[in-house]
Amino acid sequence: MREDTKAVQSAGTAQGRDASHAGTPERGKSASGPGALERGKSASGPGAPERGKSVSGPGALVQAKPVSLSGGSVHAKPVGHAKPVPGTADGEKSRYKKISEEAVKPADSITGRRKKKAAPPEEAIVLDHVVKTYQMGAPALNGISLKVKRGEFVFIVGDSGSGKSTLIKLLLRELLPTEGSITVNGTNVVRLRRRKIPKFRRGIGVVFQDFRLLKDRNVYDNVAFAQLVIQAKARDIRRNVPMMLSLVGLAGKYKAKPKQLSGGEQQRVALARALVNNPPILLADEPTGNLDPKNSWEIMKLLEEINEKGTTVLVVTHNREIVNAMKKRVITMKKGVIVSDEEQGAYIDED
Ligand code: ADP
Ligand code: MG
């Protein structure tokens, strides 16, 4: 297993950029957050695990159990007792102060062992007058302002070249804006230090048109890879990977290599990888661009289901039929600006 782990990790270095996208927030911090996927439920979701097949052999798929990810992984910290400096009047004073403060606190704040978390931001994504100019040509984005609330599902549509992928890259901090501000998951992306980028990206799952799977690795390892990147515990990996594969209806194919799968199945693997670390946001850049209508629908329904479990989902697409049928918020871009933003919108015809 250790050999295997190494191999996956080294395979990953070549695709380091993708790897950090595949990952998500620090376990414990995010898993119990409001954006968290309700994993317990998901195990019984569509394509429930094909148990008979899956529970055998090394690296075998473990039966998915509904387990709260937050359980045991939050580092419990005792309520802080001020440490008096021994033998000083100050020390004595602070100790008494602490005791008297505690006497008037409600019981649960005295006994509660967990550090209080800051409330997550209400907005998952905020862009304010964002301009992005590449070295040459007209700006790819020319004054975009946009808010996406936590838990929303949003389609981004627009002609080729209208700036949709540039927007996705800015949200991932693959690019910096020329002007304007961008906040994702409460992080100011423009001010984000380079060394903090990998951790930031763990809060965003991402899928692309071309799947971007590790070709020489099987389905299980492709998904497990995202967990290895964040140094998840082996037992968490054994639990989470099968659960995600069940969610996307691929529990029975965990040993298959990408080339043995259909396009739709490959995109499901990519989706499982994007979600296995429980990110509060999922970005999808034309996820159905290479798929036939049936598989496109299945992927979109899966995205909707993921959204219903609490993940904020932003999908760039050209799929007019699906956009019109799903009645979600639709943002239409044209030449780097937003020309329409409608709740329960539809694909707007050009001209
Ligand atoms: P979309 O995803 O909507 O098709 P993009 O965001 O990919 O649009 O592109 C928006 C505009 O920016 C296009 O005119 C494109 O040619 C230009 N563009 C995209 N990437 C680059 C780049 N790396 N260098 C220069 N121009 C780019
Ligand atoms: Mg694009």
Side-chain angles (χ1 to χ4, degrees):
M1 191 60 202
R2 186 160 294 173
E3 277 308 311
D4 210 32
T5 303
K6 270 190 205 154
V8 175
Q9 271 172 331
S10 62
T13 43
Q15 303 197 3
R17 220 180 48 150
D18 292 342
S20 57
H21 295 163
T24 55
E26 303 230 297
R27 194 147 294 286
K29 278 196 192 162
S30 64
S32 57
L37 213 57
E38 292 169 50
R39 291 261 166 76
K41 279 189 193 168
S42 69
S44 60
E50 293 169 45
R51 284 178 183 144
K53 279 187 195 168
S54 58
V55 192
S56 66
L61 219 48
V62 180
Q63 188 170 321
K65 282 185 202 152
V67 185
S68 159
L69 277 179
S70 60
S73 56
V74 174
H75 297 293
K77 279 194 184 160
V79 172
H81 288 268
K83 266 198 181 158
V85 182
T88 65
D90 265 6
E92 285 298 299
K93 229 187 341 192
S94 65
R95 186 164 58 195
Y96 284 124
K97 185 161 177 273
K98 198 74 204 171
I99 291 166
S100 60
E101 269 171 15
E102 284 184 358
V104 296
K105 277 185 193 168
D108 60 343
S109 68
I110 296 171
T111 54
R113 308 291 287 175
R114 287 182 186 190
K115 201 177 165 187
K116 208 172 174 186
K117 282 183 227 156
E122 198 198 334
E123 315 285 357
I125 295 169
V126 183
L127 277 81
D128 195 22
H129 294 98
V130 171
V131 175
K132 176 66 195 177
T133 311
Y134 290 105
Q135 249 120 7
M136 39 197 278
L141 295 181
N142 200 357
I144 299 274
S145 295
L146 163 69
K147 281 185 183 172
V148 178
K149 286 205 184 74
R150 274 193 294 128
E152 264 196 286
F153 187 114
V154 184
F155 282 124
I156 309 261
V157 304
D159 290 346
S160 194
S162 59
K164 306 178 300 293
S165 294
T166 300
L167 174 63
I168 297 283
K169 285 174 188 159
L170 288 168
L171 295 176
L172 289 165
R173 184 44 166 91
E174 276 187 28
L175 297 173
L176 277 168
T178 314
E179 283 173 39
S181 70
I182 302 174
T183 307
V184 180
N185 278 335
T187 299
N188 181 330
V189 171
V190 179
R191 285 208 219 122
L192 187 67
R193 299 268 173 111
R194 188 170 286 272
R195 66 188 155 83
K196 300 220 163 149
I197 292 175
K199 187 175 166 195
F200 162 76
R201 287 186 182 148
R202 286 174 207 162
I204 310 172
V206 60
V207 291
F208 300 95
Q209 180 171 359
D210 56 358
F211 321 134
R212 303 193 188 182
L213 300 174
L214 298 169
K215 291 184 175 53
D216 59 338
R217 292 274 135 191
N218 68 23
V219 165
Y220 185 100
D221 287 341
N222 264 281
V223 179
F225 175 66
Q227 292 251 278
L228 290 169
V229 168
I230 64 158
Q231 298 177 325
K233 291 190 184 120
R235 80 181 135 103
D236 289 336
I237 297 176
R238 283 197 298 273
R239 181 190 62 197
N240 295 336
V241 174
M243 240 186 262
M244 287 317 301
L245 290 177
S246 298
L247 175 74
V248 301
L250 279 180
K253 300 222 170 174
Y254 72 100
K255 276 185 180 172
K257 295 271 176 65
K259 67 168 186 281
Q260 297 170 307
L261 300 176
S262 72
E265 288 170 332
Q266 289 186 57
Q267 194 60 296
R268 287 156 187 261
V269 178
L271 207 45
R273 180 183 61 182
L275 294 168
V276 71
N277 296 335
N278 216 356
I281 297 181
L282 178 72
L283 305 178
D285 193 351
E286 303 201 30
T288 63
N290 285 344
L291 304 180
D292 61 27
K294 180 171 170 286
N295 277 304
S296 297
W297 262 112
E298 283 174 8
I299 290 292
M300 289 294 195
K301 283 286 158 195
L302 212 41
L303 292 175
E304 186 176 40
E305 197 181 311
I306 286 154
N307 172 250
E308 280 162 5
K309 291 175 198 295
T311 308
T312 307
V313 175
L314 195 144
V315 186
V316 171
T317 186
H318 283 119
N319 200 313
R320 175 184 310 265
E321 191 199 343
I322 291 179
V323 169
N324 288 345
M326 280 177 66
K327 306 256 184 295
K328 302 289 185 189
R329 179 176 172 193
V330 180
I331 294 173
T332 307
M333 294 179 58
K334 192 172 179 182
K335 295 182 182 158
V337 298
I338 292 176
V339 293
S340 129
D341 183 349
E342 306 268 339
E343 294 297 329
Q344 304 198 346
Y347 207 104
I348 295 173
D349 279 310
E350 259 304 284
D351 305 321

